[in-house]
Amino acid sequence: MATIYQVSEAAGVSLATVSRVMNGNAKVSERTRKKVEDAMASLGYQPNAIAQSLASNRTNSVGLLVSELHGSYFGDLMSTVEHVLKQNGKHVIITAGHVDEKREHEAIEFLKSRRCDALILHAEAVSDDYLKTLVDSKIPVVVINRKVDALDENCFVVDNERGGYMATKAAIDAGHKKIAYISGPLFKKDASDRLAGHKRALQEAGLTFDETSVFEGDFHESSGQEGMQHLQKTFSDFTALVCANDEMASGAMTAAREAGFDIPSQLSIIGFDNVLFSRYLYPKLTTINNPIHAMGEMAAYWVLQHVYDIKSPIPIEHLFEPEVVNRDTLGKL
Amino acid sequence: MATIYQVSEAAGVSLATVSRVMNGNAKVSERTRKKVEDAMASLGYQPNAIAQSLASNRTNSVGLLVSELHGSYFGDLMSTVEHVLKQNGKHVIITAGHVDEKREHEAIEFLKSRRCDALILHAEAVSDDYLKTLVDSKIPVVVINRKVDALDENCFVVDNERGGYMATKAAIDAGHKKIAYISGPLFKKDASDRLAGHKRALQEAGLTFDETSVFEGDFHESSGQEGMQHLQKTFSDFTALVCANDEMASGAMTAAREAGFDIPSQLSIIGFDNVLFSRYLYPKLTTINNPIHAMGEMAAYWVLQHVYDIKSPIPIEHLFEPEVVNRDTLGKL
DNA sequence: CTCTCAAATGTAAGCGCTTACAAAATTATT
DNA sequence: AATAATTTTGTAAGCGCTTACATTTGAGAG
């Protein structure tokens, strides 16, 4: 593999000059630029990004931490972030934290050790304090889908409370009075916020909240099934079921069907997130759009602007609004 | 950020010694190891991976090229590869090629410029010749889901022809005689192989193949819908529909339902790939398992063995068998 | 107590690049 | 034509690490 030295020799110029034409920042005369470019082409020269990074203290790469490498939600996030950054000549290094404190921590340390210019984190398990330390250290950090006190400038979040409210409100507006709820793990902020929204909607409509109407799942499909089965026993006769995410809604739909309910005529179901497969479901799932795409985009723009001095084409905002996506699983009563 | 130099000073030893304890290969006395480790801990030292790579000519990272960062299929592949490699202390750098020759090429060059120790490629658009050149160059390369002549040792593929055969055979065994087919883009080897298998199954059963029974889609959901609509006109009255992937099968199901067909009593549908969401569909999709998980795992083990001298726990194989996954969309006639 | 020899540690030369600074070449000014 | 101002190019010192080789240390043998 050719090095810059060989190029400089072939072109009859110094190392510095070759470096200059590569980076295009300093001025080089047309004639020498041509010589150098020819030499590069004939040698098939490819700069060593590692050496560049070491010398320039700039890697042109942004670290992205997601919880999993699979799943619609993260697929969307990864795609979006990569798209925006790549358009601007930056690269993304992706790692997975698997919602485990130790592994998230390791993943972040890995990204730091690779000297990423910035970090975009969908960190769920790591502590607020750790994130604060991170932000206080040199490296620019952005947090997605998690609000950390005193880090508002670095967080991009959807209004989960509002989303939960909207989901339940939609059911109420459709005439439902007895509404069950399958929640995510309540130690997670987004899960508890969504539930809070649900309660607010009930209260506002003068409906009393019943503890037995809630099942705490784990955001996975199977806990949606479980939840549905459990709620039938403890809460029974509800006509609508709000789920804190689409996976659990899908599980609940399966369980409901097995229990003989027609959806939506006998049971309405509302999901949350609007992941890709929610419209593959039958009936197509009515859900709350979680603007993960917009958040990922915004996070990427933030990084471009703050780290690379590339002006964001849209104003940077930190709070995103959820939205009801009306499809076929919410029926009027 | 502390450097090795500061550690060596704090510990009162030379750079080389610090490096030795970091890498653990050369012998260091217990006493000095302790001193160095203490110094590292108190400084919060974190080795600079970039500098290590430059000096050692080893990055401990493997490049992974996928077509997209979203979607079940690639999610599965990324997760698997990362899992195996991370267990062995190696890291994965993921890029997307978007099934576009130029972008795939750029993505691969990026991985090379980052000096990955090896490349795992799900390359669809780039030419065979380019892949051969790549393999002939220094960098170890493995290709997933694509068979390149003379590169058998580097390819990990599923027997697509056989899979196509199995799908159609399953329909035939269930009594179907008039079978439609929605294909992927035929310039893609996997798509044409699957179609070839379909034809073989028909022939073997003494069924004649009719050109109008095939619709060439693009592997996306919408072309499944289109295909279904198109085939109703050109081929009509078929009782089974084989689709070259699950996305198109899902689209076809939607279109079929809109056209008033009950699945599977009036129309049987078979997919291909067995992606995660295929079991969320209603009815749950009968499909052909594409062992992407196994292939990704194998590719990762190949790299571990050939590049890092870590013995693979399972024998390296290159050809993977598809398998029928019986669920609810194939009905007996 | 000296001598060997192996084990532990140190020295210094890179890895391939960037970049401040110096030097040379070119252009403008008088 | 001589000098100044400006542009272009070269020189060399790092960036933070690894590693071949040289040196020191210490233990066991005589």
Side-chain angles (χ1 to χ4, degrees):
Chain A
M1 196 133 280
T3 73
I4 196 178
Y5 180 73
Q6 295 166 37
V7 173
S8 79
E9 240 184 359
V13 299
S14 73
L15 291 193
T17 302
V18 177
S19 175
R20 286 185 187 106
V21 348
M22 275 172 54
N23 295 296
N25 34 27
K27 26 215 88 228
V28 177
S29 77
E30 260 323 306
R31 208 150 48 86
T32 55
R33 147 163 291 117
K34 183 80 173 52
K35 278 195 300 187
V36 171
E37 278 167 353
D38 288 352
M40 282 177 170
S42 75
L43 283 167
Y45 173 71
Q46 204 185 16
N48 182 326
I50 300 288
Q52 288 181 312
S53 297
L54 183 59
S56 67
N57 203 26
R58 217 346 121 81
T59 58
N60 283 315
S61 62
V62 174
L64 173 62
L65 173 75
V66 292
S67 295
E68 301 296 340
L69 296 173
H70 56 257
S72 304
Y73 182 84
F74 295 112
D76 223 7
L77 179 58
M78 294 187 283
S79 275
T80 305
V81 169
E82 199 233 19
H83 180 75
V84 173
L85 257 22
K86 185 174 267 182
Q87 273 192 330
N88 290 275
K90 309 303 170 193
H91 297 283
V92 182
I93 297 188
I94 302 171
T95 48
H98 305 283
V99 201
D100 176 273
E101 175 154 15
K102 182 152 167 281
R103 294 166 84 181
E104 272 187 12
H105 186 272
E106 279 173 9
I108 293 172
E109 295 301 314
F110 165 69
L111 293 173
K112 282 172 64 184
S113 80
R114 301 300 304 182
R115 293 303 189 266
C116 291
D117 297 330
L119 262 31
I120 297 179
L121 308 179
H122 188 288
E124 304 192 64
V126 115
S127 74
D128 276 14
D129 281 345
Y130 175 70
L131 289 174
K132 279 184 205 158
T133 323
L134 215 54
V135 171
D136 288 341
S137 76
K138 272 291 153 44
I139 188 161
V141 174
V142 144
V143 178
I144 285 191
N145 200 32
R146 170 165 169 178
K147 197 163 176 321
V148 181
D149 287 335
L151 255 48
D152 301 271
E153 279 309 300
N154 307 281
C155 294
F156 295 90
V157 291
V158 66
D159 190 339
N160 281 303
E161 197 272 347
R162 183 123 197 281
Y165 171 84
M166 290 166 85
T168 299
K169 177 79 161 35
I172 292 170
D173 287 349
H176 295 274
K177 299 238 178 303
K178 190 159 187 187
I179 304 171
Y181 191 92
I182 298 183
S183 168
L186 289 169
F187 73 88
K188 291 194 187 178
K189 194 71 175 12
D190 50 354
S192 62
D193 282 353
R194 289 174 192 180
L195 179 56
H198 164 71
K199 289 182 184 169
R200 179 161 66 89
L202 289 181
Q203 189 177 27
E204 201 179 278
L207 267 27
T208 55
F209 172 73
D210 180 345
E211 285 294 346
T212 62
S213 69
V214 174
F215 176 85
E216 182 176 345
D218 62 5
F219 276 147
H220 296 301
E221 203 206 356
S222 56
S223 79
Q225 280 184 262
E226 264 175 67
M228 177 66 202
Q229 287 156 3
H230 178 88
L231 288 167
Q232 275 180 267
K233 289 181 215 139
T234 60
F235 191 56
S236 63
D237 304 328
F238 49 92
T239 60
L241 171 62
V242 177
C243 298
N245 79 350
D246 292 345
E247 268 83 359
M248 294 195 299
S250 165
M253 278 168 70
T254 303
R257 208 143 33 211
E258 279 165 6
F261 290 97
D262 180 72
I263 300 169
S265 72
Q266 296 172 14
L267 179 66
S268 288
I269 293 191
I270 303 179
F272 202 116
D273 277 352
N274 189 25
V275 302
L276 210 71
F277 79 79
S278 64
R279 57 189 172 82
Y280 296 168
L281 294 174
Y282 179 73
K284 292 174 184 141
L285 185 65
T286 292
T287 186
I288 303 296
N289 186 54
N290 186 346
I292 184 64
H293 181 83
M295 289 195 288
E297 206 174 24
M298 196 59 85
Y301 283 134
W302 187 96
V303 167
L304 285 175
Q305 181 154 321
H306 286 75
V307 181
Y308 299 113
D309 289 316
I310 298 176
K311 185 142 176 40
S312 167
I314 48 177
I316 302 291
E317 303 197 4
H318 294 272
L319 185 61
F320 291 76
E321 291 304 323
E323 208 169 299
V324 176
V325 180
N326 278 306
R327 287 200 280 248
D328 308 332
T329 57
L330 172 57
K332 290 236 183 284
L333 213 63
Chain B
M1 195 132 279
T3 73
I4 196 178
Y5 179 74
Q6 295 167 37
V7 173
S8 80
E9 237 183 1
V13 299
S14 72
L15 293 192
T17 302
V18 177
S19 175
R20 285 184 186 106
V21 348
M22 274 170 55
N23 295 296
N25 35 27
K27 27 214 89 226
V28 177
S29 78
E30 259 325 304
R31 208 150 47 87
T32 56
R33 146 163 292 117
K34 184 79 173 50
K35 277 194 300 188
V36 171
E37 277 166 354
D38 288 352
M40 283 177 169
S42 75
L43 284 166
Y45 172 71
Q46 204 184 15
N48 182 326
I50 300 287
Q52 286 181 312
S53 297
L54 183 60
S56 66
N57 203 25
R58 213 0 116 76
T59 59
N60 283 314
S61 62
V62 174
L64 173 61
L65 172 75
V66 292
S67 295
E68 302 296 340
L69 296 173
H70 57 257
S72 302
Y73 181 85
F74 295 112
D76 222 8
L77 178 58
M78 294 186 283
S79 275
T80 306
V81 169
E82 198 232 22
H83 180 76
V84 173
L85 257 22
K86 186 172 265 185
Q87 273 192 329
N88 290 275
K90 309 303 171 193
H91 298 284
V92 183
I93 296 188
I94 302 173
T95 49
H98 305 283
V99 202
D100 174 274
E101 176 154 14
K102 180 150 168 283
R103 295 165 85 181
E104 271 187 12
H105 186 271
E106 279 173 10
I108 295 172
E109 294 302 314
F110 165 69
L111 294 173
K112 282 171 65 185
S113 81
R114 301 301 304 181
R115 294 302 191 266
C116 290
D117 297 331
L119 261 31
I120 297 179
L121 308 178
H122 187 288
E124 303 193 64
V126 114
S127 73
D128 276 15
D129 280 345
Y130 175 70
L131 290 173
K132 277 183 206 157
T133 323
L134 214 55
V135 171
D136 288 342
S137 76
K138 273 289 154 45
I139 187 161
V141 173
V142 145
V143 178
I144 286 191
N145 199 32
R146 170 165 169 179
K147 196 162 177 318
V148 181
D149 287 335
L151 255 47
D152 301 273
E153 280 308 301
N154 306 281
C155 294
F156 296 90
V157 291
V158 66
D159 191 338
N160 281 303
E161 197 274 345
R162 183 125 198 279
Y165 171 85
M166 290 167 86
T168 300
K169 178 80 159 40
I172 293 169
D173 287 350
H176 296 273
K177 298 241 179 303
K178 190 159 187 187
I179 304 172
Y181 190 92
I182 298 183
S183 169
L186 289 169
F187 73 89
K188 290 194 187 179
K189 193 73 173 13
D190 50 354
S192 63
D193 283 353
R194 288 174 193 181
L195 179 57
H198 165 69
K199 290 181 182 169
R200 179 161 66 89
L202 290 180
Q203 188 179 29
E204 200 179 281
L207 267 26
T208 53
F209 171 73
D210 180 345
E211 285 293 345
T212 62
S213 70
V214 174
F215 176 85
E216 182 177 344
D218 63 3
F219 275 147
H220 295 303
E221 204 206 357
S222 56
S223 78
Q225 280 184 263
E226 265 175 68
M228 177 67 201
Q229 287 157 2
H230 179 87
L231 288 167
Q232 273 180 268
K233 289 180 219 143
T234 60
F235 191 56
S236 66
D237 303 329
F238 49 92
T239 60
L241 171 63
V242 177
C243 298
N245 81 348
D246 292 346
E247 268 83 359
M248 295 194 299
S250 166
M253 278 169 71
T254 303
R257 207 144 33 210
E258 280 165 4
F261 290 97
D262 180 72
I263 300 168
S265 73
Q266 294 170 14
L267 178 66
S268 287
I269 293 191
I270 303 178
F272 201 116
D273 276 353
N274 189 25
V275 300
L276 211 70
F277 79 78
S278 64
R279 56 189 173 80
Y280 295 168
L281 294 173
Y282 179 73
K284 292 178 184 136
L285 185 66
T286 293
T287 186
I288 304 296
N289 186 54
N290 185 346
I292 184 63
H293 181 84
M295 290 195 287
E297 206 174 25
M298 197 59 85
Y301 283 135
W302 187 97
V303 167
L304 285 174
Q305 180 154 320
H306 287 76
V307 181
Y308 299 112
D309 290 316
I310 298 175
K311 186 145 175 38
S312 166
I314 49 177
I316 302 291
E317 302 197 3
H318 294 270
L319 187 61
F320 292 76
E321 291 303 324
E323 210 169 298
V324 177
V325 180
N326 279 305
R327 288 202 278 248
D328 308 333
T329 58
L330 172 58
K332 289 238 185 284
L333 214 62

